Amino acid sequence: MRIRGNVAIDLGTVNTLIWVAGRGLVLEEPSAIAVDATTGAVTAIGEAAEVLAEKEPQDIQVLHPLRDGVIADLDATAAMLNGFLRRARPHNGPLRPRALVCVPSGATFVERRSVIAALEARRPRYSARLIDEPVAAAAGAGLDLSGGAGGFVVDVGGGTTEIAAVAGWRVVRARSLRMAGNTMDEAIVHAARSNLGLILSQRAARQLKMTLGLTGGVDGWAETVGLDLAHRSPRVERVPADLVAAALEPTVTAIARSVQEMLSDIPPGLAEDVVRGKVRLAGGGAILPGLASQIEASAGIGTVVVDDPLRCVVRGAALILERRDKNVPGLAQ
Ligand SMILES: Nc1ncnc2c1ncn2[C@@H]1O[C@H](COP(=O)(O)OP(=O)(O)OP(=O)(O)O)[C@@H](O)[C@H]1O
Ligand SMILES: [Mg+2]
């Protein structure tokens, strides 16, 4: 049964998504908040804050309150969540609403507590429960984990890459790598600076990553605009694909190696489920052109990108919230 007001939240380093029972996905915004540097008042959240991030207006500070998938700034996260939930307007009935929030499998006790604290700091107070992201990702990827069935998921987000074998709604083995989309952007910024003498914004680097990826896109180059390192004036530049591929290489190799190591560590009883179900790639980083084939080549088993990878985790959390199955750890707490 759908209980009005219940929400599933994917509180990500780069993007926050909120699903509301009975209404579906209602919010999808960058995890950013802009505050007045003098008064501390919140001036914008989500997309409206993100567009200001790299323009650096005076008196405004743009914060990304999550780092590596967990809360780095509790007050800012609570204010951002509060704003998002007000915007999402879940219809609250007389019962205390429930929130199911995804956290990285490697999150510490303190980090988990801080997510709950952020939700309890608002009115109405939510009864917050946490679920490990890989379990939500597996459900969102279409794996049916009931009856002890298992699968293997890799969620390449902005701050973390979660690599996990799951079975029966539980994590069997997991590794949270603090290397993902943001690391790739930073590597491109660094490469453009040292090889082309060009200072790029993170947004420009991200665009190059999406267009060229590991495969080089359609043209083998992409145009970008940055600041000339020597003259500090704007410069348009054609960036060659091999520069971007070389910058992405260390992160991609680290992810592929971790997948391989994790696969070699699964219990033998899970091997058939994993081979049949294939490695499921989720998260925004899964869309990186060439990533799936590189993982497949090094892992030696089929690797597929799930449908709509950016929404996979919240979709899975919503499915779990709707099942209200006692066997799902997130609901049994
Ligand atoms: N087409 C694309 N190619 C490559 N990367 C992409 C593409 N689209 C989005 N991304 C990257 O995906 C990342 C965001 O993914 P996602 O929303 O899954 O992360 P998140 O859930 O916020 O982070 P985390 O799970 O680490 O907390 C960003 O680094 C973004 O640049
Ligand atoms: Mg995520």
Side-chain angles (χ1 to χ4, degrees):
M1 188 177 65
R2 287 173 172 179
I3 304 293
R4 288 179 147 232
N6 284 351
V7 293
I9 304 174
D10 175 7
L11 186 57
T13 309
V14 173
N15 298 303
T16 297
L17 290 84
I18 300 182
W19 173 95
V20 178
R23 287 171 52 213
L25 186 64
V26 295
L27 183 133
E28 204 172 356
E29 297 262 358
S31 303
I33 179 166
V35 292
D36 185 305
T38 327
T39 65
V42 175
T43 59
I45 55 168
E47 189 61 46
E50 185 63 25
V51 291
L52 297 175
E54 292 181 328
K55 308 277 162 59
E56 301 181 16
Q58 285 181 351
D59 308 331
I60 299 285
Q61 196 186 2
V62 178
L63 306 169
H64 294 101
L66 289 111
R67 198 165 38 236
D68 301 332
V70 292
I71 294 178
D73 180 335
L74 183 57
D75 291 342
T77 305
M80 182 182 80
L81 254 183
N82 212 357
F84 284 156
L85 282 167
R86 205 176 306 125
R87 199 179 289 174
R89 271 186 287 131
H91 304 286
N92 293 314
L95 299 175
R96 193 171 165 195
R98 302 203 312 172
L100 186 63
V101 192
C102 308
V103 287
S105 56
T108 62
F109 176 75
V110 173
E111 289 166 339
R112 286 168 192 264
R113 275 304 316 166
S114 70
V115 175
I116 292 177
L119 275 155
E120 290 186 340
R122 70 179 309 277
R123 302 254 167 245
R125 288 177 56 191
Y126 278 79
S127 155
R129 284 150 196 269
L130 307 179
I131 184 151
D132 283 318
E133 257 181 42
V135 175
L143 296 171
D144 181 6
L145 304 180
S146 52
F152 196 95
V153 287
V154 182
D155 175 3
V156 188
T160 53
T161 296
E162 299 267 312
I163 304 165
V166 292
W169 304 109
R170 285 171 193 275
V171 170
V172 175
R173 300 271 193 283
R175 179 179 294 182
S176 189
L177 209 62
R178 304 215 159 179
M179 261 187 163
N182 286 346
T183 332
M184 298 180 195
D185 302 341
E186 283 153 22
I188 293 172
V189 168
H190 185 77
R193 191 184 175 101
S194 44
N195 297 315
L196 304 172
L198 188 67
I199 306 172
L200 290 181
S201 66
Q202 190 182 3
R203 185 175 280 249
R206 188 176 291 173
Q207 196 54 53
L208 287 171
K209 169 183 74 174
M210 293 181 188
T211 312
L212 298 173
L214 299 167
T215 53
V218 184
D219 302 316
W221 57 269
E223 198 169 89
T224 192
V225 185
L227 279 183
D228 186 275
L229 185 59
H231 301 103
R232 293 272 159 177
S233 54
R235 192 176 110 202
V236 181
E237 178 78 38
R238 276 188 174 192
V239 178
D242 54 359
L243 181 142
V244 170
L248 297 174
E249 178 63 27
T251 311
V252 170
T253 305
I255 294 172
R257 195 184 313 120
S258 288
V259 170
Q260 214 177 351
E261 282 167 12
M262 186 69 70
L263 280 168
S264 65
D265 189 35
I266 60 169
L270 203 57
E272 188 178 339
D273 288 1
V274 170
V275 171
R276 281 192 200 286
K278 300 187 171 164
V279 172
R280 307 276 179 121
L281 276 188
I287 317 167
L288 182 78
L291 181 67
S293 50
Q294 184 132 337
I295 291 179
E296 179 166 300
S298 77
I301 69 168
T303 301
V304 289
V305 178
V306 304
D307 281 346
D308 205 0
L310 281 154
R311 303 187 182 112
C312 180
V313 167
V314 80
R315 190 168 63 228
L319 281 169
I320 289 167
L321 194 63
E322 286 206 312
R323 282 177 65 104
R324 311 190 72 206
D325 181 339
K326 286 200 303 297
N327 296 321
V328 181
L331 301 186
Q333 281 171 27

